[in-house]
Amino acid sequence: MKQSRIVAAVGALVLVAGCSGSSDDKKSDEVPVPKGLEVPEGVTLTKGGTTLTEDKPASVVYQVGDKAASVITVTVSSVRKGSIKRDFTFFSLDEDTKSSSPFYVDVTVKNEGPAGLGGAALPIFAHDSSNTNLPANDIVGTFKPCRNSTLPKSFLPGATAKLCLVYLVPKGKALQSVDLQTGSTKDAITWTP
């Protein structure tokens, strides 16, 4: 009789442990959301560390300092290789830049809400073969191969913007991916060209 009680108790513990393990697994799949932010209805956040191909969207919470937080959906539609000699003819470049390879990344961004993100710089980087994240280059004036590199001054919920970001990958390095990084590097969402 005493042995059957022990077996029953051990069986109950195994059952409880099995149930609690499955709820922990479910929590680990959830994407963290800042306190007070409600993800808009119909939007599913993309888990950090996800790798996508061109034309596949990712939705993330983007917090701009202490000012605003909103959900954005980003789609990398194309990655084009340019030419320093052809595209940067009228630019004054240093020797390192003259030997780099330009890449133009076409991106569509939708502000899902709830906050406006006008004029904010997007945390989208070119990840090269030396495991370095390169920020987009600021180009002043009109640059025919790649126009509209910043979000509009007014970028309210529901707005969509088509951008083109310029990256100069150093000589001897290759472009591995385009990374959307709103948190740590391991949680970046990557598109492979």
Side-chain angles (χ1 to χ4, degrees):
M1 185 83 164
K2 192 175 184 182
Q3 188 176 10
S4 64
R5 283 186 192 165
I6 292 172
V7 170
V10 169
L13 283 175
V14 169
L15 183 61
V16 169
C19 290
S20 67
S22 65
S23 68
D24 288 345
D25 290 343
K26 188 175 182 183
K27 281 187 177 180
S28 69
D29 287 341
E30 292 177 8
V31 177
V33 176
K35 188 176 180 178
L37 179 81
E38 287 191 32
V39 175
E41 192 174 322
V43 176
T44 301
L45 296 179
T46 306
K47 188 174 180 180
T50 299
T51 299
L52 301 168
T53 56
E54 290 178 3
D55 289 326
K56 298 292 182 188
S59 295
V60 297
V61 175
Y62 181 37
Q63 185 150 359
V64 183
D66 296 333
K67 297 178 182 177
S70 200
V71 175
I72 58 172
T73 297
V74 176
T75 305
V76 173
S77 55
S78 72
V79 177
R80 300 173 282 129
K81 187 172 183 181
S83 163
I84 284 287
K85 287 181 181 177
R86 179 189 66 228
D87 301 338
F88 291 82
T89 302
F90 300 109
F91 286 79
S92 178
L93 306 173
D94 62 37
E95 289 307 311
D96 286 341
T97 306
K98 284 179 184 176
S99 64
S100 65
S101 298
F103 286 88
Y104 310 131
V105 178
D106 295 306
V107 176
T108 301
V109 183
K110 181 176 181 186
N111 185 353
E112 306 284 0
L117 297 172
L122 293 172
I124 299 176
F125 300 90
H127 189 102
D128 75 13
S129 54
S130 67
N131 202 26
T132 302
N133 282 336
L134 306 168
N137 292 82
D138 288 328
I139 306 265
V140 178
T142 301
F143 183 59
K144 287 184 181 181
C146 197
R147 299 174 191 239
N148 302 330
S149 62
T150 58
L151 289 176
K153 289 182 182 177
S154 176
F155 194 60
L156 299 174
T160 299
K162 290 186 182 244
L163 307 178
C164 183
L165 306 173
V166 177
Y167 298 96
L168 299 175
V169 176
K171 182 180 182 180
K173 309 290 190 273
L175 178 67
Q176 299 292 308
S177 63
V178 175
D179 296 2
L180 173 60
Q181 185 179 321
T182 57
S184 68
T185 52
K186 71 179 177 89
D187 290 328
I189 294 163
T190 63
W191 284 266
T192 53

